[in-house]
Amino acid sequence: MSASNSILHVNQLDAWFGNFHALKNISVDVKDHDVMALIGPSGCGKSTFIRCLNRLHEEIEGAKVSGDVFLEGQNIYGPGKDPVVIRRRIGMVFQKPNPFPGLSIYDNVAIGLKLGGMRDRHQVEEHVHQALCGAALWDEVKDKLKRPGASLSGGQQQRLCIARALAVQPPVLLMDEPTSALDPISTGRIEELIQQLKATITVIIVTHNMQQAARIANRTAYFLLGEMVEVGQTQQIFEAPVDTRTRDYVTGQFG
Amino acid sequence: MDFAYRRRKFVNLVSLAGIFGLAVLAAVPFFVVSVFVLDKGLGAISWDFFTQLPKGPGEEGGGMANAIVGSAIMVGLAAVLSIPWGLAAGIFMSEYGDSRTARCLRFTTDLLASTPSIVVGIFVYGLIVVYTGFSAWAGAAALTVIMLPIVARTSEEMLKLVPDHVREAGLALGLPRWKVIVRLVLPAAKSGVITGLMLALARVAGETAPLLFTALGNNYHSESLNQPTASLPVQVYNYAMSPFEEMQQQAWAGALVLVLFVVVINLSTRLLLRSKQGWSS
């Protein structure tokens, strides 16, 4: 099945939007505490791929998936598996910061815990504090936890969304171009944060920015037209790609 | 070139003036109606109008307390019946809206919304009144049928305004779909939904036709919900047709109260929600 220290094992994954075959026969292993970057041109299936990992893809009308994804040894597409349970083990951060409208900073982070059934207020507070610290946001918001989440700047909102995902303590965090809507300083903060996060969790990040992949990821996968062309150590992908299509892309000769 | 430039400027000015003028004209009917009703009705409104029962034909004084209470009861009942029901339908159409069932439901709701209210009255007459007689219940049932599609469609539209990323973020946190809807989507649409409910309320409060042969009317306070019950619009209708000057005066006063009710509902909804708007882009 999966290698001993791999937290996520994808086996022959295919995905469709209606008749469009968006992902073709993807198989890959992600090791515990890896930061894996997914690169490739727009529309190549990177986002679709990570949305298959937390079973969010199937929420779209007409979307379909086949294949197996093992998270901590369990097939999330196995019979009787509940997507709700799986999504608590694998967090997600989206392209645009999307704090919940109308909720305070505190409630944005607490809501996953509260609605997930955590009743003890002190326990919730403790988890929120930890998550906000984990997202490097605590010092900036500790005096205004009751203010609306939407009152923060774009970069802070994105870290709030990271805190929201971290609060339920998933072992894996999916990030779908988390910095593409942010300025360079906010982007730097989030990249720094990802470096810290890998001490405790595994991160799979979609990025359009190859420099970003080179800076933060120890492994990189190149997607093209729904296929995973190549996956390997980041340095190897950028400096000595095996596949010519990967070489064309990373050297900027693509298209 | 200079001519072309001046021509463009001129056409722009004329078009703008035209649009502005028509926009202002659109507001005119409401002001004319208000001023007219205010002029005719203000003289007849007094404390007695709200507290007294109607006097006999030709007698001075009296009021429409029975009609005001009757309207409040029937509109209240209709709200209690139609709001949870319509809201549920609205949620279904918005959140599960691409299914065949939802499309059929949406179409049916639109048909119901555009059904003439007199038809709704006849329907309830045949369904309820024929067996149990005129009553507040029958009136409320008719108002419920009118209110239901408005509540369903406005809440659907308001829920659809909540961006999909809110739903996705909720699902990605491992929240079950119903919790995402009830705890995240619905609160985000709250102000819009409440506005819709209030407008639906204001709309049915002024409905006359569906009450004519369901609640019928009553010159006194009804003792139970199973009795014929007075309502403001029906009483206005009856009194306006009367040959007696005093009753016509009372009808104007009733019309004024109806208009004021609609204005107050709209204003208070706006004030209530002003500070609680919205989500970030």
Side-chain angles (χ1 to χ4, degrees), chain B residues 85-254:
Chain B
W85 190 0
L87 202 55
I91 289 173
F92 179 77
M93 289 190 289
S94 155
E95 305 304 309
Y96 303 88
D98 294 324
S99 65
R100 206 184 157 78
T101 331
R103 277 201 298 272
C104 289
L105 189 62
R106 192 174 296 129
F107 182 64
T108 324
T109 311
D110 283 344
L111 285 181
L112 185 57
S114 39
T115 303
S117 55
I118 190 84
V119 176
V120 174
I122 293 176
F123 164 72
V124 173
Y125 179 84
L127 195 74
I128 299 178
V129 177
V130 167
Y131 303 105
T132 64
F134 299 108
S135 67
W137 282 118
L143 294 183
T144 302
V145 175
I146 309 256
M147 204 172 159
L148 187 63
I150 310 178
V151 171
R153 285 297 256 141
T154 48
S155 45
E156 180 201 358
E157 293 306 324
M158 292 304 132
L159 288 168
K160 274 187 179 163
L161 287 180
V162 177
D164 265 341
H165 65 65
V166 172
R167 296 176 182 84
E168 286 203 327
L171 290 175
L173 267 184
L175 303 177
R177 194 164 190 136
W178 69 270
K179 274 188 185 171
V180 172
I181 294 168
V182 174
R183 301 296 298 272
L184 297 171
V185 178
L186 209 51
K190 190 176 62 188
S191 38
V193 170
I194 291 177
T195 309
L197 296 181
M198 292 303 219
L199 294 182
L201 216 58
R203 159 83 199 281
V204 295
E207 280 290 344
T208 319
L211 294 178
L212 278 173
F213 30 74
T214 54
L216 191 65
N218 194 331
N219 275 328
Y220 305 94
H221 285 295
S222 309
E223 279 159 17
S224 87
L225 297 176
N226 297 316
Q227 285 187 338
T229 302
S231 66
L232 213 40
V234 173
Q235 202 127 328
V236 167
Y237 168 75
N238 287 330
Y239 276 39
M241 309 288 275
S242 155
F244 296 99
E245 177 106 10
E246 293 79 12
M247 292 176 96
Q248 290 170 12
Q249 281 293 318
Q250 295 267 305
W252 280 112

Side-chain angles (χ1 to χ4, degrees), chain B residues 7 102 196 269:
Chain B
R7 196 183 108 92
T269 311

Side-chain angles (χ1 to χ4, degrees), chain A residues 18-201:
Chain A
N19 290 324
F20 175 65
H21 199 172
L23 283 180
K24 296 167 189 161
N25 197 24
I26 311 280
S27 295
V28 67
D29 258 318
V30 184
K31 292 191 184 60
D32 211 0
H33 302 303
D34 258 1
V35 175
M36 178 179 271
L38 311 180
I39 60 170
S42 294
C44 66
K46 315 177 292 275
S47 294
T48 306
F49 177 66
I50 65 168
R51 292 168 64 93
C52 287
L53 302 183
N54 65 349
R55 295 192 57 174
L56 209 51
H57 176 68
E58 68 204 64
E59 296 290 339
I60 296 167
E61 188 75 13
K64 221 170 52 179
V65 188
S66 85
D68 301 314
V69 175
F70 294 89
L71 174 65
E72 298 174 305
Q74 295 217 40
N75 189 356
I76 67 170
Y77 286 104
K81 282 282 186 275
D82 182 1
V84 168
V85 177
I86 288 147
R87 291 180 195 134
R88 300 192 75 79
R89 302 294 298 159
I90 183 158
M92 189 165 198
V93 175
F94 297 82
Q95 187 169 356
K96 263 173 64 182
N98 58 354
F100 292 126
L103 291 190
S104 69
I105 293 171
Y106 181 88
D107 283 335
N108 256 286
V109 183
I111 194 151
L113 302 164
K114 284 184 183 167
L115 298 189
M118 191 182 283
R119 305 234 176 273
D120 181 13
R121 227 169 50 126
H122 293 292
Q123 203 183 354
V124 172
E125 272 172 23
E126 182 53 38
H127 277 68
V128 170
H129 175 246
Q130 263 177 32
L132 283 169
C133 288
L137 191 60
W138 175 254
D139 288 333
E140 289 159 68
V141 301
K142 64 183 174 198
D143 299 322
K144 48 179 180 181
L145 291 170
K146 293 269 182 288
R147 300 263 303 274
S151 68
L152 297 173
S153 75
Q156 288 173 325
Q157 283 187 25
Q158 193 61 301
R159 277 179 283 145
L160 182 64
C161 293
I162 295 174
R164 176 177 72 191
L166 292 178
V168 291
Q169 302 188 317
V172 180
L173 186 62
L174 308 171
M175 303 180 106
D176 191 357
E177 295 183 44
T179 62
S180 65
L182 303 182
D183 65 78
I185 293 173
S186 306
T187 299
R189 286 250 174 80
I190 292 197
E191 288 184 7
E192 238 171 75
L193 176 58
I194 293 168
Q195 293 301 319
Q196 292 161 20
L197 285 178
K198 76 177 174 194
T200 46
I201 64 175

